[in-house]
């Protein structure tokens, strides 16, 4: 944020992304990262915030071992963005419809180093690589009424920062974090009770579970005659509980004062307008377009538009081949998504590129592959990164459309399943489907399904005719 060290702290060896500034050495002076400021303004605009023309940085003083200077450069009373909102669907179980969640502020600060606690050897370790990395904080107003609404808000915010490209948004890597303040109040009261802050939640599921637990805990404390204290609590994933970590500090505990080594910033309306012109089409608008222009269901459109990389993959595939949008969506959200989820991969890291998926669908469209065979080819494409046409040729997976070859399999299936034949003759048409399945098994899934079914039905009709001619 204030020096030239690379921000790839996770991929680097410990303490190799450091300099006098992020080490907090005497005499080192900070210099503001212009693009980090612009990213924060972009986020503020996406959250419908007001961008003040005047802003400044402040020193936040607290003595933690992972805070190299003994203070953090942050923003206190004049942040980069103010008074915004996000619209969520609302918690229908509470009878709440679509509504706005206020955004109090968006400010910019520097991250701290990472401590590795005592591992039984009498000391702790500190990796300074993360120290000084830009950290943007979005503070909401106390407008959410349930864990479900918090999940909706976070999901939408996560999508926005990904669409903007200001963060990868990977919660497991610490690139999208959530600290949640929780307080309850009697039904009908307008005054919220004492709040607690919950930390250490590294997934949307963890946030939901931690908030659900904390609401119940606070209610039980009050109903038992106790009082909720203002404190920081940590979520313990394995036990599914929150535990007290420390008493909550107040703003005056940090002794904020203006950062003397950095000048105040003035961001003119012309520059704000230029940044506003960079805003992309976000997930809600993209989903609405998918539904209106491509006739996708709301469910499929929301899943595709929820991630910028997913939506881009979808639209790129459509441009490469004149395919049915619903067909592309089914493949992406079905078999391809299953493979990606197994490896915890994002779609932009998929070995199956949009071009390869388009080529696979073309092989289905021209009859080279059945749908079931195409699924087999897709798995091989994902495992090897190969081209679908090469896999079909090398493994002999093309669809069989030769009538003679399929008739031989039909005859074998009919001969081996006299009960199914008898069922068909007695009026059970579903027996034909069973026998078609046997034909597909005998041909290793390569028989053209429509042709196989027709030949099975013809063979069964012949059996029925013969049965009626017997004395």
């Amino acid at each position: 944020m204030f020096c030239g060290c690379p921000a790839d702290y996770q991929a680097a060896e410990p303490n190799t992304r450091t300099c006098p500034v992020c080490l907090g050495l005497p005499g080192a002076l900070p210099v503001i990262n212009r693009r980090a400021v612009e990213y924060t303004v972009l986020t503020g605009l996406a959250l419908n915030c007001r961008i003040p023309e005047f802003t400044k940085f402040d020193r936040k003083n607290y003595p933690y071992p992972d805070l190299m200077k003994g203070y953090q450069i942050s923003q206190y009373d004049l942040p980069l963005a103010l008074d915004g909102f996000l619209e969520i669907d609302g918690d229908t179980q509470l009878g709440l419809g679509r509504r706005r969640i206020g955004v109090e502020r968006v400010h910019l600060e520097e991250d701290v180093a990472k401590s590795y606690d005592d591992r039984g050897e009498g000391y702790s370790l500190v990796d300074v690589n993360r120290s000084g990395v830009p950290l943007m904080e979005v503070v909401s107003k106390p407008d959410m009424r349930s864990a479900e609404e918090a999940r909706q808000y976070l999901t939408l915010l996560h999508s926005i920062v990904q669409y903007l490209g200001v963060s990868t948004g990977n919660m497991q890597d610490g690139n999208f974090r959530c600290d949640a303040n929780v307080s309850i109040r009697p039904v009908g009261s307008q005054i919220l009770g004492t709040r607690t802050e919950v930390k250490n939640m590294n997934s949307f599921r963890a946030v939901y579970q931690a908030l659900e637990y904390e609401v119940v805990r606070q209610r039980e404390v009050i109903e038992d005659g106790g009082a909720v204290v203002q404190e920081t609590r940590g979520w313990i994933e394995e036990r599914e509980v929150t535990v007290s970590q420390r008493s909550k500090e107040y703003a005056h505990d940090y002794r904020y004062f203006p950062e003397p080594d950095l000048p105040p910033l003035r961001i003119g309306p012309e520059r704000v307008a230029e940044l506003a012109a960079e805003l992309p089409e976000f997930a809600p608008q993209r989903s609405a377009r998918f539904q209106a222009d491509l006739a996708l269901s709301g469910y499929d459109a929301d899943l595709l538009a929820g991630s910028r990389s997913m939506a881009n993959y979808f639209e790129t595939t459509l441009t490469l081949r004149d395919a049915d949008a619903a067909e592309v969506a089914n493949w992406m959200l079905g078999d391809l998504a299953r493979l990606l989820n197994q490896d915890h991969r994002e779609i932009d890291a998929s070995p199956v590129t949009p071009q390869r998926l388009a080529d696979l669908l073309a092989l289905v469209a021209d009859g080279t592959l059945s749908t079931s065979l195409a699924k087999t080819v897709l798995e091989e494409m994902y495992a090897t990164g190969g081209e679908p046409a090469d896999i079909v040729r090398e493994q002999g997976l093309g669809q069989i459309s030769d009538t003679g070859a399929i008739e031989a399999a039909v005859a074998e299936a009919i001969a081996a399943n006299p009960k199914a034949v008898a069922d068909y003759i007695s009026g059970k048409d579903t027996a034909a489907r069973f026998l078609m399945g046997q034909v597909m098994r005998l041909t290793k899934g390569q028989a053209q399904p429509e042709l196989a079914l027709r030949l099975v039905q013809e063979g069964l009709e012949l059996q029925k005719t013969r049965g009626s001619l017997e004395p």
Side-chain angles (χ1 to χ4, degrees):
M1 179 63 222
F2 301 111
C3 66
C5 289
D8 60 341
Y9 60 90
Q10 290 159 324
E13 290 295 315
N15 299 314
T16 59
R17 297 291 186 265
T18 62
C19 73
V21 174
C22 49
L23 284 170
L25 298 183
L29 294 175
V31 177
I32 297 172
N33 181 332
R34 179 189 184 97
R35 194 54 179 159
V37 172
E38 292 174 339
Y39 276 165
T40 305
V41 172
L42 273 172
T43 304
L45 291 169
L47 300 179
N48 306 290
C49 288
R50 173 174 61 86
I51 309 300
E53 191 169 343
F54 182 87
T55 184
K56 67 179 176 67
F57 287 94
D58 301 277
R59 286 192 183 182
K60 180 181 181 181
N61 299 274
Y62 58 101
Y64 283 7
D66 54 11
L67 194 59
M68 307 312 295
K69 298 187 292 290
Y71 62 86
Q72 179 186 32
I73 301 178
S74 181
Q75 292 191 291
Y76 178 47
D77 55 340
L78 294 172
L80 281 160
L82 291 163
D83 303 326
F85 65 87
L86 276 182
E87 290 190 347
I88 62 170
D89 292 332
D91 191 337
T92 55
Q93 291 190 352
L94 298 179
L96 298 172
R98 189 164 182 81
R99 60 199 199 85
R100 289 183 175 183
I101 303 300
V103 173
E104 185 172 303
R105 56 189 279 145
V106 184
H107 66 259
L108 186 58
E109 59 190 25
E110 58 180 339
D111 210 344
V112 297
K114 184 174 178 61
S115 294
Y116 293 86
D117 293 333
D118 181 7
R119 300 177 180 181
E121 298 183 14
Y123 58 85
S124 298
L125 300 174
V126 177
D127 179 6
V128 190
N129 282 350
R130 193 177 67 180
S131 176
V133 168
L135 187 64
M136 176 176 63
E137 187 164 302
V138 179
V139 182
S140 68
K141 293 183 178 179
D143 294 339
M144 287 166 260
R145 296 291 171 258
S146 68
E148 170 57 29
E149 291 201 338
R151 177 160 57 186
Q152 291 179 20
Y153 169 86
L154 278 178
T155 301
L156 183 54
L157 179 60
H158 182 263
S159 172
I160 286 172
V161 298
Q162 283 194 319
Y163 264 83
L164 287 172
V166 304
S167 172
T168 62
N170 191 324
M171 292 188 78
Q172 287 73 20
D173 292 339
N175 295 325
F176 188 83
R177 310 173 204 165
C178 171
D179 297 338
N181 288 284
V182 186
S183 58
I184 63 175
R185 62 186 177 186
V187 174
S189 172
Q190 296 301 309
I191 302 174
L192 289 165
T194 302
R195 59 187 170 92
T196 59
E197 183 180 39
V198 183
K199 291 179 174 287
N200 302 339
M201 301 169 291
N202 63 358
S203 68
F204 293 132
R205 177 174 174 271
V207 171
Y208 182 88
Q209 290 180 319
L211 297 186
E212 288 272 274
Y213 173 87
E214 186 60 18
V215 168
V216 172
R217 187 194 70 82
Q218 290 188 20
R219 183 181 296 122
E220 290 176 348
V221 167
I222 294 171
E223 289 175 349
D224 290 342
V228 176
V229 298
Q230 184 164 329
E231 62 180 343
T232 297
R233 300 180 66 85
W235 172 245
I236 308 299
E237 185 84 33
E238 299 77 17
R239 295 164 50 197
E240 297 186 351
V241 298
T242 65
V243 297
S244 180
Q245 291 183 327
R246 63 178 183 271
S247 62
K248 178 60 182 172
E249 296 89 350
Y250 295 84
H252 64 260
D253 293 326
Y254 294 119
R255 306 191 318 278
Y256 283 100
F257 62 86
E259 170 55 56
D261 291 332
L262 292 173
L265 291 179
R266 291 189 181 275
I267 305 173
E270 300 83 6
R271 184 55 185 145
V272 173
E274 291 171 357
L275 290 169
E278 296 181 18
L279 292 175
E281 179 187 39
F282 290 109
Q285 295 75 35
R286 214 167 185 181
S287 174
R289 177 165 59 82
F290 288 168
Q291 294 174 61
D293 297 350
L294 302 174
L296 291 182
S297 70
Y299 179 78
D300 285 354
D302 285 346
L303 286 176
L304 290 168
S307 157
R308 186 178 189 178
S309 56
M310 180 76 85
N312 289 347
Y313 187 108
F314 172 67
E315 294 200 283
T316 301
T317 304
L318 288 181
T319 62
L320 292 171
R321 180 179 171 275
D322 187 19
D324 177 66
E327 179 188 19
V328 175
N330 287 338
W331 279 92
M332 286 182 59
L333 300 175
D335 292 273
L336 182 55
R338 173 179 57 81
L339 294 169
L340 291 167
N341 290 337
Q342 286 175 356
D343 291 343
H344 305 288
R345 262 182 179 168
E346 296 296 328
I347 197 162
D348 49 8
S350 171
V352 182
T353 62
Q355 182 65 65
R356 286 173 181 153
L357 181 60
D359 292 344
L360 178 67
L361 297 183
L363 293 176
V364 175
D366 67 16
T368 302
L369 293 174
S370 64
T371 300
S372 61
L373 278 174
K375 292 182 178 183
T376 301
V377 173
L378 178 69
E379 296 211 5
E380 187 67 17
M381 291 164 60
Y382 185 85
T384 66
E387 301 294 336
D390 294 340
I391 292 169
V392 169
R393 183 178 61 255
E394 292 166 3
Q395 300 191 14
L397 293 175
Q399 193 165 241
I400 299 172
S401 56
D402 177 66
T403 302
I406 298 178
E407 282 179 338
V410 169
E412 184 177 346
I414 288 175
N417 295 278
K419 184 178 183 306
V421 175
D423 287 344
Y424 183 84
I425 291 173
S426 66
K428 295 181 180 178
D429 293 341
T430 54
R433 289 280 177 186
F434 168 77
L435 287 169
M436 187 191 82
Q438 299 305 300
V439 171
M440 299 304 291
R441 181 180 62 81
L442 290 168
T443 61
K444 298 180 179 178
Q446 292 180 255
Q448 190 179 64
E450 296 81 4
L451 179 57
L453 179 60
R454 179 170 63 80
L455 292 176
V456 165
Q457 290 171 333
E458 289 175 358
L460 289 171
E461 289 297 321
L462 182 60
Q463 292 290 321
K464 185 188 291 187
T465 302
R466 286 176 179 170
S468 65
L469 292 176
E470 290 179 359

